[in-house]
Amino acid sequence: MSRAENTRRRLVVGNWKMYGSRAFNAELLSAIQARWQGVHQAEVAVCPPFAYLQQAAELLAKSNIVLGAQSLSEYEEGAFTGEVSARMLADWQCRYVIVGHNERRRLQGETDQRVAKKFIAARDADLIPVLCVGESEQDRDSGKALDTIGRQLSTVIDAAGLESFRRAVVAYEPVWAVGTGKTATPEQAQEVHSFIRAQLGALGQSTRVLYGGSVKPDNAEQLFAKADIDGALLGGASLKAEDFIAICQAAD
Ligand code: 13P
């Protein structure tokens, strides 16, 4: 099936992580908006830190750039100090939310089961989860990359049901490629993306699968040329307007 025949609109998501300030964000968003006017084939989203969602929502109100968040609580509401619920994110006009980023799995102890609960919480609030999966360097070196990715994905499929992937996005982010400048080769990424689609069964051809991990303007085009790569989840490159727009243009 060609891209035009399915529902896989290209998508570029900027994950700002814990960077930014009111002044920096205003400058970045204004530079991005100035260069991303009118109608585009690719969809563009930015995920600022929680503290700046309202600022970003206001600045992006009249633009074609959509808002996402970097994480969420698995609970609807309650005594969970420091947490933010799916409903609150929807209230801030978020369309997307990143779930199971490897920094949260590794640094905040998020298990596959907890990631699955967050995915369900996002889905139930009509947010689009961007579910991150990816292997460590050790997994890859020992030939276990697909085992790890298969386990991360199947935990969510078992808990949420395959049907939930009709609206969800999957992002393949090899841990060894995130923030390291080492990108997966287009062939390595393609192999994993095709594996992810096979795991998604009947929905495999319509679910968007993004690649993330040191995507830069000079490698984006080769990655996007692969049949199963529908866009990118960007870290560092999303904080530089020039780089971000160049990658959005490559996806467009
Ligand atoms: P980098 O693009 O900085 O490698 O980060 C990728 C990432 O973690 C996006 O979620």
Side-chain angles (χ1 to χ4, degrees):
M1 207 188 310
S2 76
R3 197 176 297 278
E5 288 167 317
N6 63 36
T7 52
R8 281 156 43 194
R9 184 179 181 197
R10 284 266 178 91
L11 173 65
V12 177
V13 180
N15 173 10
W16 292 6
K17 307 194 179 181
M18 202 173 73
Y19 291 102
S21 65
R22 285 182 66 80
F24 175 89
N25 307 341
E27 200 171 312
L28 178 64
L29 289 176
S30 134
I32 292 171
Q33 283 185 81
R35 303 196 43 197
W36 197 253
Q37 309 248 328
V39 180
H40 291 273
Q41 276 181 7
E43 185 178 17
V44 172
V46 293
C47 304
F50 288 142
Y52 297 123
L53 281 174
Q54 183 169 356
Q55 181 199 15
E58 283 166 11
L59 291 172
L60 295 175
K62 292 196 180 72
S63 81
N64 53 8
I65 296 162
V66 301
L67 193 59
Q70 299 176 15
S71 183
L72 79 167
S73 168
E74 62 268 45
Y75 301 108
E76 268 181 50
E77 63 179 2
F80 301 108
T81 303
E83 293 292 301
V84 175
S85 73
R87 186 177 46 75
M88 293 171 186
L89 298 178
D91 215 12
W92 271 323
Q93 292 130 56
C94 286
R95 177 170 164 82
Y96 293 97
V97 60
I98 299 170
V99 178
H101 191 281
N102 86 75
E103 285 150 18
R104 299 215 48 100
R105 291 179 189 262
R106 286 185 304 115
L107 307 173
Q108 311 294 330
E110 290 190 5
T111 60
D112 293 337
Q113 285 71 22
R114 196 147 165 238
V115 168
K117 285 185 183 161
K118 288 173 185 250
F119 180 98
I120 292 169
R123 177 200 68 190
D124 291 350
D126 285 333
L127 296 167
I128 302 178
V130 178
L131 172 67
C132 298
V133 296
E135 80 285 6
S136 65
E137 187 150 42
Q138 200 185 357
D139 289 336
R140 177 149 290 266
D141 291 347
S142 56
K144 295 206 180 96
L146 296 183
D147 290 347
T148 297
I149 295 159
R151 188 203 71 230
Q152 291 170 336
L153 198 52
S154 68
T155 308
V156 178
I157 295 173
D158 291 349
L162 204 49
E163 198 51 33
S164 303
F165 283 82
R166 207 172 276 289
R167 246 182 122 236
V169 174
V170 180
Y172 167 50
E173 291 208 320
V175 178
W176 49 271
V178 169
T180 59
K182 277 197 268 177
T183 321
T185 64
E187 291 69 32
Q188 282 173 326
Q190 169 60 31
E191 184 199 9
V192 175
H193 282 227
S194 151
F195 170 79
I196 290 170
R197 292 198 192 286
Q199 298 273 109
L200 295 174
L203 292 178
Q205 284 311 310
S206 54
T207 301
R208 287 180 292 179
V209 185
L210 312 182
Y211 169 78
S214 299
V215 178
K216 304 285 177 231
D218 61 6
N219 58 27
E221 212 151 316
Q222 291 149 290
L223 287 160
F224 298 157
K226 290 295 177 190
D228 288 316
I229 301 182
D230 300 320
L233 178 56
L234 308 174
S238 69
L239 297 167
K240 295 182 195 134
E242 286 287 308
D243 289 4
F244 187 63
I245 288 297
I247 296 166
C248 295
Q249 282 166 344
D252 203 24

